[in-house]
Amino acid sequence: MSATNNSDPLVEDVVTPWEVESENDKGVDYRKLIDRFGSKEITEDDIKRIEKLTGKPAHHFLKRGIFFSHRDLNLLLDQVEQGKPFYLYTGRGPSSESMHLGHLIPFMFTKYLQDAFNVPLVIQMTDDEKFLWKDLTLEETHRLAYENGKDIIACGFDKNKTFIFSNLDYMQHLYPTVCKIQKEVNTSQVKGVFGLQDSDNIGQISFPAIQAAPSFYQAFPHLFPPNSDVCCLIPCAIDQDPYFRVTRDVARKLNWRTPSIIHSKFFPALQGATKKMSASSDVSSIYLTDNPEQIKDKIKKHAFSGGGKTKEEQMKYGADLSIDVSYRYLEFFLEDDEKLKQIANDYSAGKMLTGEVKNILIELLQGMVKEHQERRKAITDEELKEFFTVRPLKY
């Protein structure tokens, strides 16, 4: 399957916390998005600075521009240079039994940051959010928070440095911080930023304050004593940025430490980069529960190709890597830089066919998903409970 780019350059990409869509076959124009959102591009100097401070090589997500944008990353690194602490905050909205490959991206990168900087991490499971937005019961979203928690733990996070919490369970501790945020944000601001309407329920109007709260150390009195002045770094996909623009505005009003943000690009759906991978579509996603045959079948049948329509066309003109989903997935998951470069050169020059690239991807993902499933299966109920227990962390 292949296509040509017939997008209108004047049509703006749709990027919100609930919807991502581009008219361009190459996907979202991230340079335009940086200008639109007012964030800053991560530079080579930023990456070198991270390597110098951690004494470790940068993650390939950084080197390949998958995490590409930031807000005040430079200020957080200043704090690190001065020996001041920070913590990481990321999250997951539990709306399905199984997570898909795209959901792994922020957690893989957060795991690297936790190990490289040796810092504590809090992970918010927004079971309340999914109840408010989806046709799911509260009991079901709460159960899914713990099911998804197993997939998150299977990414290899350090139990001594990681606290995972369900909003429904932790709200008694979170609520004082939530209230202070709510008082600083008016309804018209929330409606303007998030596109909410008068017909939306009041839980949706108030939810941004709940997602904002973990950005502040005051929300975790069991981890940080009063007046800690601890910085927060939030790795997330850039569609979550509207939440944290509001959060940063509130921080200034309350004279609290402003969180730093580091943004990732979207993980494309199998059908192409015009949309991100979605848990609501079986054929657009590869799930962490898929077996080897399902992974093979989905990639063979549905992975959008940037190659020629025929073998002759491919050999003559080569592939357009910018729209080829199999190659884009390899950019995310194939860690070997030299091997990726060789595939890019050969595939774009017509020396490789789409089927060959798909076979490389299939073998890679089959192994990766199988290893994840084995790690997840080994997680006991006791270990799961420990991660979700309110307790001091060791760091």
Side-chain angles (χ1 to χ4, degrees):
M1 184 185 294
S2 60
T4 56
N5 180 10
N6 55 3
S7 62
D8 182 347
L10 299 178
V11 175
E12 209 170 57
D13 296 324
V14 177
V15 178
T16 74
W18 305 283
E19 184 183 7
V20 174
E21 189 164 1
S22 174
E23 292 294 319
N24 193 319
D25 292 331
K26 297 180 181 181
V28 171
D29 186 325
Y30 291 103
R31 288 191 178 276
K32 287 184 179 178
L33 198 61
I34 285 175
D35 291 339
R36 188 169 129 203
F37 280 12
S39 59
K40 293 183 178 179
E41 187 174 6
I42 293 174
T43 66
E44 284 297 321
D45 286 343
D46 294 326
I47 295 171
K48 289 176 182 177
R49 193 176 178 199
I50 289 170
E51 289 183 324
K52 183 178 179 181
L53 286 169
T54 62
K56 296 182 179 181
H59 196 281
H60 67 275
F61 285 174
L62 278 173
K63 292 188 289 184
R64 295 175 189 172
I66 291 170
F67 274 81
F68 72 104
S69 164
H70 74 92
R71 294 186 185 277
D72 287 349
L73 176 63
N74 54 321
L75 298 183
L76 181 124
L77 296 179
D78 289 345
Q79 297 288 309
V80 174
E81 283 181 341
Q82 296 166 23
K84 295 181 180 179
F86 77 94
Y87 70 98
L88 294 161
Y89 159 40
T90 194
R92 159 76 183 139
S95 61
S96 59
E97 193 81 32
S98 173
M99 291 164 58
H100 60 59
L101 288 178
H103 292 139
L104 283 182
I105 304 308
F107 293 110
M108 290 171 67
F109 189 65
T110 302
K111 167 73 165 61
Y112 152 76
L113 290 172
Q114 182 183 57
D115 292 346
F117 285 99
N118 190 29
V119 291
L121 161 68
V122 297
I123 300 174
Q124 181 184 51
M125 307 298 285
T126 57
D127 38 14
D128 52 345
E129 175 204 16
K130 293 307 174 185
F131 168 70
L132 293 168
W133 262 272
K134 300 279 187 178
D135 186 21
L136 295 167
T137 66
L138 200 59
E139 293 75 17
E140 179 67 358
T141 59
H142 186 244
R143 183 186 72 81
L144 290 173
Y146 283 83
E147 283 301 310
N148 288 184
K150 295 176 185 177
D151 280 311
I152 293 168
I153 294 166
C155 292
F157 290 109
D158 186 336
K159 181 169 54 182
N160 293 320
K161 298 185 181 72
T162 306
F163 172 50
I164 307 175
F165 63 97
S166 143
N167 278 345
L168 292 175
D169 292 339
Y170 190 68
M171 189 53 70
Q172 60 179 313
H173 307 284
L174 201 64
Y175 197 57
T177 306
V178 170
C179 282
K180 291 174 183 177
I181 295 168
Q182 287 174 332
K183 193 171 182 177
E184 299 298 331
V185 184
N186 62 47
T187 305
S188 65
Q189 184 181 3
V190 172
K191 288 167 69 175
V193 172
F194 299 101
L196 296 173
Q197 307 296 321
D198 289 343
S199 57
D200 291 316
N201 65 63
I202 60 173
Q204 293 174 339
I205 296 287
S206 65
F207 178 74
I210 297 172
Q211 183 158 324
S215 308
F216 306 109
Y217 77 87
Q218 292 90 336
F220 304 101
H222 66 287
L223 300 180
F224 309 111
N227 303 314
S228 294
D229 198 30
V230 182
C231 307
C232 178
L233 175 61
I234 305 169
C236 62
I238 197 166
D239 59 338
Q240 297 300 301
D241 188 69
Y243 281 111
F244 300 114
R245 291 205 296 273
V246 173
T247 301
R248 285 163 56 85
D249 287 343
V250 168
R252 296 181 189 102
K253 292 177 182 177
L254 292 171
N255 199 27
W256 287 354
R257 174 75 68 177
T258 306
S260 298
I261 323 291
I262 185 166
H263 303 119
S264 73
K265 295 178 179 177
F266 303 115
F267 190 73
L270 281 165
Q271 286 82 357
T274 58
K275 292 187 177 182
K276 69 174 183 176
M277 186 173 278
S278 170
S280 61
S281 173
D282 286 342
V283 295
S284 78
S285 305
I286 295 173
Y287 293 95
L288 299 178
T289 52
D290 283 348
N291 61 43
E293 195 58 37
Q294 287 173 314
I295 293 171
K296 178 181 177 181
D297 188 63
K298 287 181 179 181
I299 293 170
K300 290 282 190 183
K301 289 182 178 178
H302 302 296
F304 193 89
S305 171
K309 293 180 181 179
T310 65
K311 179 179 178 180
E312 290 72 23
E313 276 191 23
Q314 170 58 19
M315 293 177 71
K316 184 176 181 180
Y317 301 112
D320 183 347
L321 303 183
S322 67
I323 64 171
D324 191 274
V325 166
S326 296
Y327 178 76
R328 296 284 291 274
Y329 284 14
L330 288 173
E331 284 187 309
F332 278 86
F333 296 121
L334 181 61
E335 295 185 22
D336 188 325
D337 291 330
E338 287 303 313
K339 186 173 182 181
L340 183 69
K341 184 179 179 181
Q342 188 65 53
I343 292 169
N345 291 339
D346 290 349
Y347 192 30
S348 62
K351 296 177 183 178
M352 287 183 78
L353 301 178
T354 298
E356 295 175 82
V357 178
K358 286 189 174 185
N359 286 336
I360 293 170
L361 177 65
I362 288 165
E363 184 178 355
L364 176 68
L365 294 185
Q366 284 175 336
M368 192 180 88
V369 171
K370 182 182 179 183
E371 288 175 7
H372 180 90
Q373 290 170 352
E374 289 171 352
R375 291 194 300 269
R376 188 186 193 279
K377 189 177 180 181
I379 297 166
T380 63
D381 290 341
E382 182 180 347
E383 186 178 7
L384 180 67
K385 184 179 178 182
E386 273 190 85
F387 271 93
F388 277 80
T389 297
V390 178
R391 69 202 190 283
L393 299 179
K394 300 173 184 176
Y395 56 90

